[in-house]
Amino acid sequence: MREENGLILSNTCIAKDTYKMMIQAEMAKDMQPGQFVNLQIQGYFLRRPISISYVDDEHCFTIVYKVVGDGTQALSKLSANDEINIFGPLGSFYPIEDEKEVLLLGGGVGVPPMLELAKCYRKQGTKVDVVLGFNDADSVFYEDEFKALGCDVVVATMDGSKGVKGTVIDAVDAHHITCDYVCSCGPRPMLKTIEARYTRGYMSFESRMACGIGACMACVAKDKKEENLYHKICKEGPVFPIGKVEF
């Protein structure tokens, strides 16, 4: 990990309240799928943790974020050629296993890190099924980007305005997807449902973070099996094997 001033190449709105930012930075060459960066936004004390969505090349990477407060609103106002201070890459990552087929489940802002993971699996020739879950059609993004990688893509929306009506699991059932090796990222209710069905694979947890390096103990989660054992989401995670930590 390192601290670096990155150069913003673009910052565009791609869906409702959702922005894609491309950043030029040397740390891109060290990034793995599932990791995140901590961004310093001028005027705000705490950095904002944002997952790495795609590594465009060894000098450029992409993040996707949703405007949910003043900090991300300020982030959305930055433009090409602005500089932004970055600390990263941080956290654990999805291992690329020797699987013939994998199922990637992303919900909302949990969709972005799935794109780099899909790229890594497709590069080794693995069949990749992708199910993307959103609240409504205006919130959908990255469907075409996954298809461009050669993935089989299904979209689910809670209001039924696009794709299957319901959750990502509803979409899995509707399309009779039988793959049992799953990697996922999304809100905790979604992950809890996934854990109830699947035992093979990994999931990435969303959590409030302060330092991003495991020093402040603000993002701990209890181990599911070992009593009195806790894990730091920002350092030992955010990616854990399915069934490893409590929700």
Side-chain angles (χ1 to χ4, degrees):
M1 69 183 77
R2 72 178 79 173
E3 183 179 356
E4 181 181 345
N5 286 327
L7 179 67
I8 297 174
L9 302 179
S10 63
N11 190 25
T12 57
C13 184
I14 59 172
K16 183 169 65 176
D17 300 324
T18 305
Y19 287 76
K20 180 175 77 170
M21 179 184 287
M22 293 182 64
I23 304 172
Q24 181 179 305
E26 289 300 315
M27 68 174 68
K29 67 179 182 297
D30 300 319
M31 293 176 172
Q32 300 291 337
Q35 291 187 302
F36 66 97
V37 291
N38 256 359
L39 303 180
Q40 181 66 64
I41 303 172
Q42 189 172 0
Y44 296 86
F45 177 70
L46 292 179
R47 291 174 178 265
R48 265 49 178 187
I50 308 288
S51 62
I52 296 161
S53 176
Y54 195 81
V55 182
D56 300 86
D57 57 47
E58 62 179 20
H59 302 295
C60 179
F61 70 98
T62 296
I63 60 171
V64 173
Y65 61 95
K66 192 174 181 68
V67 174
V68 294
D70 292 343
T72 44
Q73 181 66 44
L75 189 63
S76 73
K77 301 301 182 184
L78 297 177
S79 303
N81 297 318
D82 286 341
E83 284 195 345
I84 187 165
N85 187 267
I86 314 162
F87 187 54
L90 300 169
S92 60
F93 51 88
Y94 294 96
I96 307 301
E97 305 285 10
D98 185 20
E99 297 283 336
K100 292 183 178 179
E101 183 176 1
V102 298
L103 171 59
L104 308 186
L105 303 176
V109 290
V111 167
M114 297 289 100
L115 189 62
E116 177 66 17
L117 183 58
K119 182 185 80 175
C120 292
Y121 269 116
R122 290 297 299 140
K123 189 178 292 186
Q124 71 174 24
T126 302
K127 182 181 186 301
V128 179
D129 300 303
V130 178
V131 182
L132 310 175
F134 302 93
N135 286 327
D136 50 54
D138 291 337
S139 301
V140 175
F141 62 92
Y142 268 5
E143 180 182 5
D144 291 339
E145 283 81 351
F146 280 104
K147 288 180 178 178
L149 291 175
C151 305
D152 293 333
V153 184
V154 176
V155 172
T157 52
M158 293 304 294
D159 67 355
S161 54
K162 183 178 177 66
V164 176
K165 182 176 182 179
T167 66
V168 291
I169 294 299
D170 292 325
V172 167
D173 291 339
H175 285 260
H176 308 290
I177 300 172
T178 58
C179 178
D180 67 350
Y181 185 86
V182 177
C183 292
S184 58
C185 184
R188 293 202 175 195
M190 176 189 126
L191 298 182
K192 195 169 184 177
T193 302
I194 291 170
E195 186 184 65
R197 174 178 292 201
Y198 299 100
T199 58
R200 298 179 64 242
Y202 293 81
M203 53 177 54
S204 179
F205 284 78
E206 297 175 355
S207 179
R208 288 186 177 273
M209 299 177 187
C211 71
I213 57 173
C216 69
M217 304 294 287
C219 61
V220 295
K222 192 176 186 302
D223 190 272
K224 213 171 182 66
K225 297 178 180 178
E226 295 189 44
E227 191 175 354
N228 299 322
L229 177 61
Y230 291 83
H231 302 281
K232 301 167 186 175
I233 300 296
C234 68
K235 188 175 182 180
E236 298 165 56
V239 179
F240 292 95
I242 292 176
K244 178 65 176 174
V245 298
E246 295 279 5
F247 289 92

